[in-house]
């Protein structure tokens, strides 16, 4: 076996983030608690620098390296930038939350950075093992993050649930991967795809058998119905700062994971996984939107709303066309930005000993702080898919993909459930604008400087991307179609 | 000289940006908010006037076109333009917004800057919707205007405002999402979101019927037609006066406009197949809703039901075209019905606005909308009574007022179609006279009913001005409708020629 030095260049951002994460881990150990902001600053600087590196190295060509286990293509570049941006926002929102509760520890940021690295590897994985490695790095960091407020029993409980179910999903994934490996004899995504094209009828049953496990594992990780039960519990139980993290950027990585595995690897089996995704999509839309109505906790409500959004995401992918993948990519980026803002608003309203995680806590916000009530209004209407916010174009894009794939009925099912979904978003708007504040919470609220600026930018971005959606849509089309 | 100016963009963005300016400058200064709001509304109205004077009559071409690339990935463009159908509706919008802003001067006390901003933003969105030539752009404006209206009813509305505004939002949202699916389907077929490309699209009958029903869901809810009208009385009763005026005078017209812009030209064969359904629903609106209006005890509710009945005339006029063709074999008379429907829409814009303002005038004084709380108002408010009677007469369709012109044209067209349709449509003259004049009798005439009425003061200058402007247009359109018809004729003839050609 001859050894040649691999081309390290495409993986420079990953190596940079890894190096920085290790360095920050060491530096943090020597910092007193009062200087924790140094860790925070370094982590944010790492994200900015990584974004710079990725943008600098961006190119239209697809480059494979490390014996074809790692790929760098336009989709990877754009998704990584989206991960940096949302993670940057998340850390920014999380900081005041952690400080107020006396859990402003370096571990949060370092674990977060390792999770970002895991996402980057998922996005660039071109081999079943690389993909699995990235996923586990992300998952293990996330379990630890959920559990990291160890004095909080609800968070600990949530972490246990998350870990047990996550481990189950990983097991299913590995099992599916082993089936595929057994049938095709390779772990390489491109080789698998080529083998599948050449496969004869007799291989169909075991292949689909393996495929089912892959799809189930992905559905578990994304939280699609009927594998969604952990989502509301974990979102609700985890500290809001952590919920913020696991609800946003990992979805972008999961989208890439799905693209690499199902579309690039299992593309020839499209007809088989399309049917599975249709079932998952319809169930997610139905259960997510209907059960969200019954929630009193805003974190649980947003958890069910996430489930419904995953249904929409699947709609774009299952169409099986390039414009469908591009629309799903657009959808997931829009979702991450909007969800970050939505959970950021909960952080903004919460105080030490007061989590503001009930929908009622939003009552009368328009009287307490009209500007941020307006920002929340934009975010909610974006989630509901009402123009002129960007959420509308995300829905437009995936519905168009479904109609283009001659799945008009699916589009109609989706819009019917999005009307049902509109109700619970409107209910929050109603509480903010039409109701009076709860007793004892009448005084105005004002977030700290950085949080206020970031939330405002986040909310206005949802509006501005809605007025000028062309650029982001063109980017996602460029990423997929070229 | 105005032909090259981006008048339409100006008309859309001036009020929207002006609205945010009002919000920024007037949050803590109600006087600034009022004056600035009025200035923006008047400026928008002035900017809209060149549309009327420069508009080229005698052509069905889209005029004042503007084109810019917007979402290249989906071939969506920022494409504006007006024809003889949309131009009068834009002018109606700019005029009514001025009226609404002035009407809010004293009657809205809570958070006036937000109110003014919502009204102005809504104006821009409505104009954008009328001026859109691109279906996605149309849809964006169509949906976006729900947000300010939702807030207006919910914040400044009556006791059951939350129920009413949620119902309003969800009903309209429900209707429009199906239209979105239909629009996307047609985009997949034609490769473009330009509405004119949809007009030229050849579509099979089954698909046409499905598309027609999708549009029907969107526009029938908006206009509203029986049986999806139930949100309107709730929304009207709970909305503040300005909200009611915008709803009745402009938002209902969006449904009618949608039928003319989308349903008829895109799915003419489905319209022909389903015309009986549409005509029957229109007649139910005219007759049954007219009867319902008779028994109302709340003035706003009565006018709301009367609006539904009048909108029944609009849809009747539009869909008679197909009935006339299938009965007589030619399209003679079809234009008459459609033009009648259009005149009815504009006329109802003035009359319903005036009626809701009149109720607002009374409500500001006694804080009651119940008919039973009034009586003999003429004794204390003679000027008000004079205007009220005038608008009541216009509402019943008295010749010489604008209400007569549209109804007369539609009934005339109905005679060409079928005697019994005309007969049933004509009952509105009796029913409308019944509920409106009975309202006048109970509220305006008779002896002074109670102490409250005895203490009423007549309209102030501001209210007089509002009523005067609306009365002027009601009478002008009633005695001299020719200029309006002149503007619309070419477009409507073109539309009829277009729907006369089967797409099958």
């Amino acid at each position: 076996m001859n050894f040649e030095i691999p081309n390290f260049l495409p993986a420079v951002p990953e190596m940079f983030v890894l190096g920085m994460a290790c360095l920050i881990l060491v530096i943090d150990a020597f910092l007193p608690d009062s200087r924790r902001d140094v860790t925070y600053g370094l982590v944010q600087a790492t994200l900015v620098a990584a974004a710079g590196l990725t943008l600098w190295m961006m190119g239209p060509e697809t480059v494979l390296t490390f014996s074809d286990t790692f790929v760098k293509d336009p989709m990877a570049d754009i998704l990584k930038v989206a991960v940096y941006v949302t993670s940057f926002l998340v850390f920014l929102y999380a900081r005041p939350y952690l400080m107020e509760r006396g859990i402003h520890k370096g571990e949060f940021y370092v674990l977060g950075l390792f999770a970002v690295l895991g996402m980057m590897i998922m996005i660039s994985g071109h081999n079943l093992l690389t993909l699995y490695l990235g996923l586990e790095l992300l998952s293990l960091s996330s379990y630890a993050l959920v559990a990291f407020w160890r004095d909080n029993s609800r968070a600990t409980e949530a972490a246990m649930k998350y870990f047990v179910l996550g481990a189950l999903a990983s097991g299913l994934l590995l099992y599916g991967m082993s089936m595929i490996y057994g049938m095709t004899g390779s772990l390489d995504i491109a080789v698998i795809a080529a083998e599948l094209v050449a496969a004869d009828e007799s291989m169909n049953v075991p292949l689909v058998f393996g495929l089912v496990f892959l799809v189930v594992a992905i559905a578990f990780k994304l939280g699609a119905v009927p594998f969604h039960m952990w989502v509301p519990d974990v979102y609700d139980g985890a500290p809001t700062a952590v919920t913020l993290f696991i609800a946003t950027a990992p979805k972008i990585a999961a989208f890439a994971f799905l693209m690499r595995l199902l579309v690039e690897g299992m593309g020839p089996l499209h007809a088989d996984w399309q049917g599975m995704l249709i079932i998952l999509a319809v169930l997610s839309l139905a259960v997510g939107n209907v059960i969200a109505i019954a929630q009193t906790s805003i974190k649980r409500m947003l958890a069910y709303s996430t489930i419904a959004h995953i249904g929409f995401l699947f709609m774009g992918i299952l169409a099986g066309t390039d414009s469908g993948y591009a629309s799903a990519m657009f959808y997931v980026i829009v979702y991450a930005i909007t969800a970050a803002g939505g959970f950021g608003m909960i952080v903004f309203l919460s105080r030490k000993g007061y989590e503001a995680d009930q929908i009622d806590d939003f009552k009368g916000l328009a009287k307490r702080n009209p500007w941020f009530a307006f920002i929340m209004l934009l975010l909610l209407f974006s989630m509901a898919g009402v123009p002129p916010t960007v959420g509308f174009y995300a829905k437009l894009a995936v519905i168009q993909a479904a109609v283009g794939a001659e799945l008009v009925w699916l589009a109609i099912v989706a819009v019917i459930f999005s009307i049902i979904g509109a109700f619970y978003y409107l209910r929050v708007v109603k509480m903010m604008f039409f109701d009076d504040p709860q007793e004892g919470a009448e005084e105005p609220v004002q977030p700290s400087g950085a949080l206020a600026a970031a939330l405002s930018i986040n909310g206005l971005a949802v509006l501005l991307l809605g007025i000028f959606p062309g650029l982001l849509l063109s980017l996602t089309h460029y990423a997929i179609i070229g | 000289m105005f032909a090259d100016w981006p008048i339409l963009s100006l008309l859309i963005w001036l009020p929207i940006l002006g609205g945010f300016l009002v919000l920024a400058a007037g949050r803590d200064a109600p006087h600034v908010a009022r004056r600035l709001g009025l200035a923006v509304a008047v400026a928008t109205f002035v900017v809209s006037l060149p549309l009327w004077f420069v508009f080229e009559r005698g052509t069905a071409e889209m005029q004042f076109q503007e084109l810019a690339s917007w979402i290249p990935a989906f071939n969506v463009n920022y494409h504006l333009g007006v024809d003889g159908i949309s131009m009068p509706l834009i002018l109606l919008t700019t005029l009514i917004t001025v009226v609404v802003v002035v009407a809010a001067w004293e009657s809205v006390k809570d958070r006036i800057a937000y109110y003014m901003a919502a009204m102005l933003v809504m104006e821009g969105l409505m104009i954008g919707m009328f001026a859109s030539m691109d279906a996605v752009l149309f849809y964006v404006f169509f949906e976006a205007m729900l947000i300010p209206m939702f807030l207006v009813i919910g914040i400044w509305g009556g006791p059951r405002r939350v129920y009413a505004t949620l119902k309003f939002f969800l009903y309209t949202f429900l209707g429009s999402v199906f239209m979105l699916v239909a629009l996307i389907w047609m985009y997949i077929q034609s490769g473009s979101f330009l509405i004119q490309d949809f007009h030229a699209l050849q579509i099979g009958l089954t698909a046409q019927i499905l598309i027609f029903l999708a549009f029907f869901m969107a526009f029938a809810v908006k206009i509203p037609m029986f049986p999806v009208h139930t949100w309107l009385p709730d929304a009207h009763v709970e909305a503040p006066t300005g909200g009611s005026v915008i709803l009745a005078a402009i938002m209902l017209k969006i449904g009618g406009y949608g039928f003319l812009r989308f349903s008829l030209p895109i799915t003419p064969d489905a319209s022909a197949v389903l015309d009986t359904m549409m005509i029957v629903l229109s007649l139910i609106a005219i007759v049954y809703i007219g009867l319902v209006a008779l028994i109302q005890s709340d003035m706003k509710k009565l006018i709301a039901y009367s609006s539904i009945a009048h909108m029944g005339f609009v849809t009747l006029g539009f869909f008679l075209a197909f009935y006339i063709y299938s009965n007589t074999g030619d399209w003679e008379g079809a234009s008459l019905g459609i033009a009648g429907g259009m005149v009815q829409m504009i006329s109802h814009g003035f009359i319903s606005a005036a009626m809701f303002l009149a109720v607002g005038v009374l409500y500001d004084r006694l804080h009651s909308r119940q008919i039973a709380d009034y009586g003999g108002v003429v004794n204390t408010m003679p000027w008000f009574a004079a205007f009220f009677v005038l608008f009541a007469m216009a509402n019943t369709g008295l010749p010489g007022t604008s209400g007569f012109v549209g109804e007369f044209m539609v009934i005339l067209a109905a005679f060409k179609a079928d005697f019994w349709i005309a007969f049933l449509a004509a009952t509105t003259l009796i029913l409308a006279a019944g509920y409106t004049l009975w309202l006048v009798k109970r509220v305006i005439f008779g002896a002074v009913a109670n102490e409250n009425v005895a203490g009423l003061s007549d309209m102030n200058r501001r209210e007089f001005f509002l009523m005067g402007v609306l009365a002027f247009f009601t009478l002008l359109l009633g005695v001299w409708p020719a200029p309006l018809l002149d503007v619309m004729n070419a477009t409507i003839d073109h539309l009829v020629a277009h729907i006369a050609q089967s797409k099958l």
Side-chain angles (χ1 to χ4, degrees), chain A residues 270-285:
Chain A
H270 170 251
D272 295 297
W273 55 256
Q274 185 187 41
M276 303 179 203
L277 289 196
I278 287 179
I279 297 172
L280 292 171
V282 171
L283 286 176
S284 301
L285 286 166

Side-chain angles (χ1 to χ4, degrees), chain A residues 34 38 40 47 60 99 102 106 115 132 137 183 185 213 335 371 391 397 439 457 482:
Chain A
S34 55
V38 174
Y40 167 75
L47 287 175
M99 285 169 78
Y132 181 74
L137 183 53
M183 294 316 293
F213 282 96
Y335 162 78
W371 171 250
E439 284 196 22
I457 291 170

Side-chain angles (χ1 to χ4, degrees), chain A residues 387 392-393 400 419 426 467, chain B residues 70-71 139 143 154 169 174 187:
Chain A
F392 164 70
Y393 301 92
Q400 189 199 313
I419 297 162
L426 282 180
I467 296 174
Chain B
W70 186 35
I71 313 178
Y139 188 83
E143 288 278 275
F169 192 101
L174 171 76
Y187 162 73

Side-chain angles (χ1 to χ4, degrees), chain A residues 366-367 370 381 384 386-388 392-393 396-397 399-400 403-404 408 412 415-416 418-419 422-423 426 429-430 433-434 466-470 473-474 477, chain B residues 13 20 27 70-74 111 114 136 139-140 143-144 147 150-151 154-155 161-162 165-166 169-170 173-174 177-178 180-181 184-185 187-188 193:
Chain A
K367 292 204 172 78
F381 276 120
V386 178
F392 164 70
Y393 301 92
L396 175 75
I399 291 172
Q400 189 199 313
V403 174
V408 180
I412 291 176
V415 296
I416 288 176
S418 72
I419 297 162
F423 173 76
L426 282 180
V429 174
K430 173 220 143 199
F433 282 87
F434 309 158
I467 296 174
F468 305 104
L473 265 169
S474 298
H477 272 74
Chain B
W13 297 106
F20 283 107
R27 252 177 68 188
W70 186 35
I71 313 178
F74 294 153
R111 293 188 257 182
Y114 294 83
V136 171
Y139 188 83
V140 166
E143 288 278 275
I147 300 175
F150 176 74
L151 296 176
I155 296 177
R161 62 208 158 91
V162 172
T165 197
L166 276 173
F169 192 101
L170 290 175
F173 198 48
L174 171 76
V177 289
F178 294 101
L180 181 66
V181 177
I184 290 171
W185 189 84
Y187 162 73
I188 304 274
F193 271 114

